[in-house]
Short mmCIF file of all heavy atoms in Angstrom, two decimals:
data_model
loop_
_atom_site.label_atom_id
_atom_site.label_comp_id
_atom_site.label_asym_id
_atom_site.label_seq_id
_atom_site.Cartn_x
_atom_site.Cartn_y
_atom_site.Cartn_z
N ASN B 270 88.81 102.89 99.72
CA ASN B 270 87.41 103.29 99.64
C ASN B 270 86.57 102.17 99.00
O ASN B 270 85.46 101.88 99.53
CB ASN B 270 87.27 104.55 98.82
CG ASN B 270 87.72 105.76 99.70
OD1 ASN B 270 87.92 105.65 100.90
ND2 ASN B 270 87.95 106.85 99.07
N ARG B 288 84.72 109.86 104.32
CA ARG B 288 86.14 110.14 104.46
C ARG B 288 86.43 111.55 104.45
O ARG B 288 87.17 112.03 105.35
CB ARG B 288 86.94 109.43 103.32
CG ARG B 288 88.42 109.46 103.50
CD ARG B 288 89.11 108.88 102.24
NE ARG B 288 90.43 108.25 102.72
CZ ARG B 288 90.74 107.00 102.60
NH1 ARG B 288 89.95 106.16 102.11
NH2 ARG B 288 91.97 106.66 103.02
N LYS B 289 85.80 112.28 103.63
CA LYS B 289 85.97 113.76 103.54
C LYS B 289 85.53 114.39 104.86
O LYS B 289 86.16 115.30 105.42
CB LYS B 289 85.17 114.32 102.34
CG LYS B 289 85.82 114.14 101.06
CD LYS B 289 84.88 114.64 99.98
CE LYS B 289 85.32 114.19 98.60
NZ LYS B 289 84.21 114.28 97.57
N ASN B 299 95.61 114.57 105.65
CA ASN B 299 95.46 113.42 104.77
C ASN B 299 95.25 112.25 105.67
O ASN B 299 95.16 112.33 106.91
CB ASN B 299 96.63 113.36 103.87
CG ASN B 299 97.92 113.35 104.63
OD1 ASN B 299 97.97 112.83 105.77
ND2 ASN B 299 99.00 113.85 104.05
N THR B 300 95.27 111.10 104.99
CA THR B 300 95.00 109.81 105.66
C THR B 300 95.91 109.55 106.83
O THR B 300 95.50 109.18 107.90
CB THR B 300 95.06 108.70 104.60
OG1 THR B 300 94.06 108.90 103.60
CG2 THR B 300 94.68 107.35 105.32
P DA C 92 92.83 100.81 93.97
OP1 DA C 92 92.90 99.67 94.96
OP2 DA C 92 91.62 100.89 92.99
"O5'" DA C 92 92.96 102.17 94.77
"C5'" DA C 92 94.15 102.38 95.50
"C4'" DA C 92 94.18 103.77 96.06
"O4'" DA C 92 94.43 104.71 94.94
"C3'" DA C 92 92.83 104.18 96.67
"O3'" DA C 92 93.09 104.51 97.98
"C2'" DA C 92 92.39 105.44 95.86
"C1'" DA C 92 93.72 105.90 95.25
N9 DA C 92 93.59 106.61 93.95
C8 DA C 92 93.01 106.12 92.80
N7 DA C 92 93.04 106.97 91.77
C5 DA C 92 93.80 108.04 92.32
C6 DA C 92 94.22 109.29 91.76
N6 DA C 92 93.96 109.59 90.44
N1 DA C 92 94.95 110.13 92.57
C2 DA C 92 95.21 109.76 93.79
N3 DA C 92 94.84 108.64 94.40
C4 DA C 92 94.11 107.87 93.66
P DA C 93 92.16 105.19 98.97
OP1 DA C 93 92.45 104.67 100.29
OP2 DA C 93 90.70 104.99 98.49
"O5'" DA C 93 92.44 106.69 98.88
"C5'" DA C 93 93.86 107.01 99.18
"C4'" DA C 93 94.05 108.50 99.11
"O4'" DA C 93 93.86 109.04 97.75
"C3'" DA C 93 93.11 109.31 99.96
"O3'" DA C 93 93.92 110.40 100.48
"C2'" DA C 93 92.04 109.83 98.94
"C1'" DA C 93 92.93 110.03 97.69
N9 DA C 93 92.27 109.93 96.47
C8 DA C 93 91.47 108.94 95.97
N7 DA C 93 91.09 109.13 94.71
C5 DA C 93 91.67 110.32 94.40
C6 DA C 93 91.76 111.04 93.18
N6 DA C 93 91.08 110.74 92.06
N1 DA C 93 92.51 112.27 93.19
C2 DA C 93 93.20 112.57 94.25
N3 DA C 93 93.20 111.97 95.44
C4 DA C 93 92.50 110.85 95.41
P DA C 94 93.36 111.34 101.60
OP1 DA C 94 94.49 111.72 102.54
OP2 DA C 94 92.12 110.82 102.11
"O5'" DA C 94 93.10 112.68 100.66
"C5'" DA C 94 94.23 113.30 100.05
"C4'" DA C 94 93.73 114.59 99.38
"O4'" DA C 94 93.09 114.32 98.10
"C3'" DA C 94 92.76 115.47 100.13
"O3'" DA C 94 93.22 116.79 100.01
"C2'" DA C 94 91.42 115.15 99.53
"C1'" DA C 94 91.83 114.98 98.09
N9 DA C 94 91.01 114.07 97.27
C8 DA C 94 90.31 112.91 97.58
N7 DA C 94 89.63 112.41 96.66
C5 DA C 94 89.86 113.20 95.61
C6 DA C 94 89.37 113.16 94.20
N6 DA C 94 88.62 112.24 93.74
N1 DA C 94 89.81 114.23 93.38
C2 DA C 94 90.59 115.13 93.94
N3 DA C 94 91.13 115.25 95.21
C4 DA C 94 90.65 114.28 95.92
P DG C 95 92.55 117.95 100.86
OP1 DG C 95 93.69 118.76 101.25
OP2 DG C 95 91.58 117.42 101.80
"O5'" DG C 95 91.68 118.73 99.72
"C5'" DG C 95 92.33 119.19 98.55
"C4'" DG C 95 91.23 119.86 97.75
"O4'" DG C 95 90.65 118.80 96.83
"C3'" DG C 95 90.16 120.53 98.45
"O3'" DG C 95 89.84 121.75 97.94
"C2'" DG C 95 88.99 119.59 98.31
"C1'" DG C 95 89.19 119.03 96.98
N9 DG C 95 88.56 117.71 96.67
C8 DG C 95 88.32 116.69 97.63
N7 DG C 95 87.73 115.66 97.06
C5 DG C 95 87.57 116.08 95.73
C6 DG C 95 86.92 115.29 94.62
O6 DG C 95 86.50 114.20 94.69
N1 DG C 95 86.99 116.05 93.44
C2 DG C 95 87.56 117.28 93.30
N2 DG C 95 87.44 117.87 92.12
N3 DG C 95 88.11 117.97 94.33
C4 DG C 95 88.06 117.28 95.49
P DG C 96 88.89 122.81 98.70
OP1 DG C 96 89.65 124.08 98.70
OP2 DG C 96 88.49 122.19 100.01
"O5'" DG C 96 87.65 122.88 97.74
"C5'" DG C 96 87.80 123.33 96.38
"C4'" DG C 96 86.65 122.90 95.49
"O4'" DG C 96 86.78 121.49 95.19
"C3'" DG C 96 85.28 122.97 96.18
"O3'" DG C 96 84.81 124.27 96.28
"C2'" DG C 96 84.49 122.14 95.22
"C1'" DG C 96 85.51 121.12 94.74
N9 DG C 96 85.22 119.82 95.29
C8 DG C 96 85.49 119.30 96.56
N7 DG C 96 85.07 118.03 96.71
C5 DG C 96 84.45 117.72 95.53
C6 DG C 96 83.86 116.52 95.20
O6 DG C 96 83.66 115.47 95.78
N1 DG C 96 83.36 116.57 93.84
C2 DG C 96 83.45 117.77 93.08
N2 DG C 96 82.95 117.56 91.77
N3 DG C 96 84.04 118.86 93.38
C4 DG C 96 84.53 118.79 94.63
#
Side-chain angles (χ1 to χ4, degrees):
Chain B
N270 284 345
R288 189 180 206 120
K289 283 172 193 165
N299 54 31
T300 302

